[in-house]
Amino acid sequence: MQAVIRLGLTGGIGSGKSTVAAMLARHGAAVIDADAISRQTTAAGGTAIAAIRQVFGPEFITSDGALDRDRMRERVFRDPGARRQLEHIIHPLVGLETARQTQAAIAAGRRCLVFDVPLLVESGHWRPRLDQVLVVDCRPEVQVERTMQRSGLARDAVMDILANQASREARLRAADIVLCNDGLSLQELALEVQQMAGRFGL
């Protein structure tokens, strides 16, 4: 039986991490997106909604039954304890769904599992579960420009997000492989990923 490679994929906001994940998926990797799973738990009818309502109150749930993200963002910004409470609700649910998707991918015969985890470096618990870590890297000023163009956020807002993520240096220290996505066209990035894919059994 072919060994399964567990690849951690991370990068700061605007680095192109999600684009690289999609390219790896096209080469046959099973991408398990921790952010997407987290969002599903707080969407309308999500598995975290009942506990959020109980802990924070019904005013944090929208009329359609989803987490009121704007209200919660304000709350956790003002109160670090609230962030820990929210993480205590969401993280175990994300862990369960991640495990379910992992087993399904292995059962389907996938040889490379890509765990797309924005906060891989910050979390601490991911590294021992992975064979290798791929960091998508670029200069901070490129991150800021890309994020402003994509999201419409003001520069100050993007800088606040960057300040709350692991530093570029910390991500690079955690990397087994670095993909420098600075000034590359989409075609050039796709070629870099294609050349890398063989290392991951793809």
Side-chain angles (χ1 to χ4, degrees):
M1 185 174 162
Q2 192 79 35
V4 174
I5 294 173
R6 288 172 167 82
L7 177 68
L9 173 65
T10 195
I13 188 169
S15 63
K17 173 187 63 63
S18 298
T19 302
V20 170
M23 289 174 175
L24 287 167
R26 286 198 287 274
H27 284 285
V31 177
I32 299 167
D33 185 336
D35 240 13
I37 294 170
S38 179
R39 286 193 299 273
Q40 286 163 12
T41 70
T42 58
T47 51
I49 294 300
I52 290 169
R53 183 183 282 112
Q54 185 177 359
V55 171
F56 292 97
E59 65 271 21
F60 283 89
I61 307 302
T62 64
S63 58
D64 66 348
L67 172 67
D68 187 329
R69 294 182 183 279
D70 291 338
R71 186 178 287 236
M72 185 61 78
R73 193 177 295 115
E74 287 175 23
R75 174 71 181 272
V76 301
F77 186 76
R78 287 186 281 107
D79 178 7
R83 180 186 294 275
R84 286 190 292 274
Q85 284 179 297
L86 184 64
E87 289 173 347
H88 188 69
I89 293 167
I90 293 174
H91 286 181
L93 297 171
V94 172
L96 285 171
E97 178 60 17
T98 297
R100 189 196 68 75
Q101 291 188 20
T102 298
Q103 290 309 311
I106 292 170
R110 298 299 187 94
R111 293 171 55 189
C112 178
L113 309 183
V114 175
F115 295 91
D116 180 349
V117 187
L119 302 181
L120 187 153
V121 175
E122 294 90 329
S123 71
H125 70 86
W126 269 100
R127 191 60 186 90
R129 299 156 62 183
L130 301 167
D131 297 311
Q132 296 182 69
V133 171
L134 169 60
V135 170
V136 183
D137 180 59
C138 64
R139 288 172 291 123
E141 54 266 35
V142 175
Q143 290 180 258
V144 172
E145 291 302 324
R146 282 182 185 153
T147 305
M148 287 171 62
Q149 287 174 8
R150 182 184 69 198
S151 66
L153 288 171
R155 181 174 294 273
D156 286 351
V158 178
M159 295 302 291
D160 283 344
I161 294 169
L162 283 177
N164 284 301
Q165 294 188 336
S167 68
R168 184 185 188 189
E169 292 73 22
R171 276 195 301 273
L172 292 174
R173 280 197 303 272
D176 296 300
I177 307 156
V178 177
L179 198 170
C180 184
N181 183 25
D182 217 330
L184 296 182
S185 67
L186 272 177
Q187 291 82 359
E188 289 166 336
L189 182 61
L191 186 59
E192 291 278 339
V193 172
Q194 182 181 353
Q195 290 171 346
M196 231 175 236
R199 298 166 67 173
F200 311 133
L202 299 172

